[in-house]
Amino acid sequence: MDVKKQLLNLKPYQPGKPIEEVKKEYNLSKVVKLASNENPYGCSAEAKQAIQDELNLLAIYPDGYSAALRTNVAKHLGVQEEELIFGNGSDEVVQIICRALLDSSKNTVMATPTFPQYKHNAIIEGAEIREVPLVDGDHNLEAMLQQIDGKTTVVWVCTPNNPTGTYVKKDTLLEFLSKVPKEVLVVVDEAYYEYVVAEDYPQTVGLIEEFPNLMILRTFSKAYGLASLRIGYGIANAELIRKIEPAREPFNTSRLAQVAAIGALNDQEFVAECREKNKKGLQQYYHFCSEKGLHFYPSEGNFVLIDFQRDSDEVFNALLEKGYIVRSGRALGFPTSLRITVGTEKENAEIIEILKDFI
C-alpha cells in the first residue's frame, strides 16, 4: 500500500528510554529519568483529587468543546473563551495548525535546532521547510524575516527554545511581529512559560488583539505536571480560532485531562513553588559548568543544554549505566551536548557527581 512519499524517509518521534527498560537492561533497582522535561515534583494535589472525582464517568464521552476548562483558562489569562483552542498536548495544536494552513504550495519558516514537531508535521503536509540556524543558541529573527515570501503561511518561534532554553526578549519580539506580513501566522510556542523568571520575557497574551496573526501555544505537560494526560492549548484572536477549529478532531481531550487541568490551574501556589525550585536547580548545573569550564546556555526552561566537547552518546551511555536517563544532543542538533531535565535538588547533586567522575 502506498503512503505519502514524504513519509517514506520521515522517522517517528523517539522519546527518551523508559525507566523499566533501563532497569532491565542494566540490572538496576533505581533509575531516574531526566530526559523529557517532566516536572520532578509531579502535579498539584488539586489535580489528583479532580481525577479521583471523575473516575465514575469514564464511560461517558468528554465535552468536545472543553467548556469548563475553557472558562477557567479564559478567566486565568484574561481572554475571551472564543480565543482558545485545546489539543491533546500542544503537540496536537501544532498538528492542527499545519493541517489547516500548510500544503505543497506553501512554505513555513522556523529556527534550527528547535522543537522538531513543527518540521515533522509540515513535512507530512508536503510544505517547503525553511530553517534558519540559531545564533549562540538564539533565534535569528532578522534572518527568519528574510525567508518569508508570498508563499509563507506559518512562522514558528519557540521561546524558551527547546533544546537551548534561550528566549526572545520583549522588544525583539515586538519588532519582529511588526515586520511579519499580516497574512502570515506567527506561532509563539511557550510550553515552558510557567518556568520563566526573566523580567524582559514578553507577556504575549496581551498582544493578540494588536497582532491578529499571532498564536500562542501553552501546555499543562511541563510545570503543571500533567504530561501523561496530554492537554495543551492555543491562544489567538477568535476569527483565527474559528477558521482552524474544523481541523481539530472531535473529543480530542479526555475527561480526566480536562478536570485535572482545571485543578492544576487553580493551584498557582504549586506552580510558583516548582518555578522557584527549578531556578535553584538550574544554579546547581551552572555552578558545575563554571567549575569544570563547560559551555551551557542559561535556560528559562526546566532543562539545561551542556556541551561536554565530546560525543554526546558517550556521556549519555555513561549516565545510563549509572541509572540516569538524559537526552543525547545528537538527535537535537548538538552532537557534543546533553540536554538534562532539572530534577530535585538531590537528583541534580547525584547526576553532577557522576558527571564529575566521568570528566
Side-chain angles (χ1 to χ4, degrees):
M1 184 178 293
D2 291 334
V3 299
K4 290 181 177 180
K5 63 180 181 180
Q6 57 264 36
L7 292 178
L8 298 178
N9 296 314
L10 189 62
K11 295 181 180 179
Y13 178 75
Q14 295 293 326
K17 278 197 169 191
I19 289 175
E20 292 307 318
E21 181 181 326
V22 175
K23 281 184 177 181
K24 184 176 179 181
E25 183 176 349
Y26 292 93
N27 194 28
L28 296 167
S29 59
K30 174 190 171 184
V31 171
V32 177
K33 184 184 176 190
L34 298 175
S36 300
N37 304 339
E38 295 146 331
N39 188 336
Y41 305 103
C43 66
S44 164
E46 291 193 33
K48 294 176 184 177
Q49 185 59 54
I51 293 171
Q52 188 68 38
D53 294 343
E54 197 75 7
L55 289 179
N56 289 330
L57 298 174
L58 295 185
I60 302 173
Y61 279 110
D63 175 4
Y65 192 60
S66 305
L69 176 58
R70 183 179 298 273
T71 298
N72 279 265
V73 172
K75 182 180 179 181
H76 177 71
L77 297 176
V79 300
Q80 300 299 311
E81 294 185 13
E82 298 77 18
E83 294 174 327
L84 296 169
I85 185 170
F86 291 90
N88 191 320
S90 55
D91 287 7
E92 192 195 19
V93 185
V94 171
Q95 183 185 59
I96 290 168
I97 292 166
C98 291
R99 180 184 286 183
L101 297 176
L102 295 175
D103 59 36
S104 59
S105 68
K106 306 294 194 306
N107 70 64
T108 181
V109 178
M110 64 196 70
T112 185
T114 192
F115 184 55
Q117 291 304 105
Y118 315 143
K119 181 177 181 179
H120 185 93
N121 283 285
I123 289 173
I124 291 173
E125 300 304 327
E128 177 192 352
I129 315 297
R130 296 186 175 181
E131 296 180 291
V132 177
L134 300 173
V135 176
D136 295 327
D138 291 319
H139 280 59
N140 186 346
L141 295 182
E142 281 300 320
M144 290 173 68
L145 281 171
Q146 297 305 312
Q147 290 295 318
I148 297 173
D149 62 20
K151 294 184 178 181
T152 306
T153 53
V154 187
V155 177
W156 307 87
V157 179
C158 186
T159 175
N161 185 49
N162 181 2
T164 57
T166 54
Y167 70 103
V168 178
K169 296 179 180 180
K170 177 181 178 180
D171 292 344
T172 305
L173 182 64
L174 285 171
E175 183 180 0
F176 177 72
L177 289 171
S178 69
K179 292 179 180 178
V180 174
K182 299 305 179 188
E183 64 274 12
V184 176
L185 177 64
V186 179
V187 180
V188 176
D189 188 345
E190 298 183 340
Y192 300 92
Y193 171 80
E194 288 79 13
Y195 283 115
V196 172
V197 296
E199 293 183 359
D200 56 353
Y201 187 88
Q203 296 304 313
T204 47
V205 172
L207 300 176
I208 62 173
E209 299 305 323
E210 182 180 354
F211 299 100
N213 60 328
L214 170 65
M215 174 173 276
I216 303 145
L217 303 185
R218 292 188 184 170
T219 183
F220 287 94
S221 294
K222 305 305 180 184
Y224 287 106
L226 299 179
S228 68
L229 293 180
R230 311 305 302 124
I231 187 155
Y233 58 98
I235 315 155
N237 78 81
E239 183 182 0
L240 174 58
I241 295 294
R242 180 180 57 79
K243 287 180 177 178
I244 69 171
E245 268 280 359
R248 180 179 64 82
E249 295 291 337
F251 308 118
N252 62 325
T253 61
S254 72
R255 297 190 71 92
L256 297 186
Q258 291 177 26
V259 297
I262 293 171
L265 193 68
N266 290 337
D267 191 356
Q268 289 300 311
E269 183 179 344
F270 172 81
V271 176
E273 289 173 358
C274 292
R275 180 167 52 246
E276 186 60 29
K277 289 175 181 177
N278 183 71
K279 180 181 176 181
K280 292 178 180 177
L282 283 169
Q283 291 300 324
Q284 290 178 266
Y285 288 101
Y286 297 167
H287 178 75
F288 159 67
C289 290
S290 298
E291 186 181 271
K292 296 298 180 182
L294 300 173
H295 179 268
F296 67 95
Y297 293 108
S299 175
E300 290 296 324
N302 67 331
F303 57 89
V304 61
L305 187 72
I306 302 174
D307 188 354
F308 289 89
Q309 299 179 336
R310 65 180 79 192
D311 186 344
S312 61
D313 285 348
E314 182 184 349
V315 192
F316 169 84
N317 287 321
L319 287 172
L320 204 59
E321 290 174 3
K322 299 289 187 179
Y324 277 84
I325 310 171
V326 297
R327 195 71 190 271
S328 171
R330 181 166 295 282
L332 304 176
F334 291 90
T336 61
S337 299
L338 293 182
R339 191 193 69 191
I340 304 174
T341 301
V342 177
T344 64
E345 182 180 2
K346 183 175 183 290
E347 290 168 346
N348 299 332
E350 288 174 351
I351 197 171
I352 285 169
E353 285 305 310
I354 295 169
L355 288 168
K356 285 180 179 178
D357 290 343
F358 178 79
I359 291 171

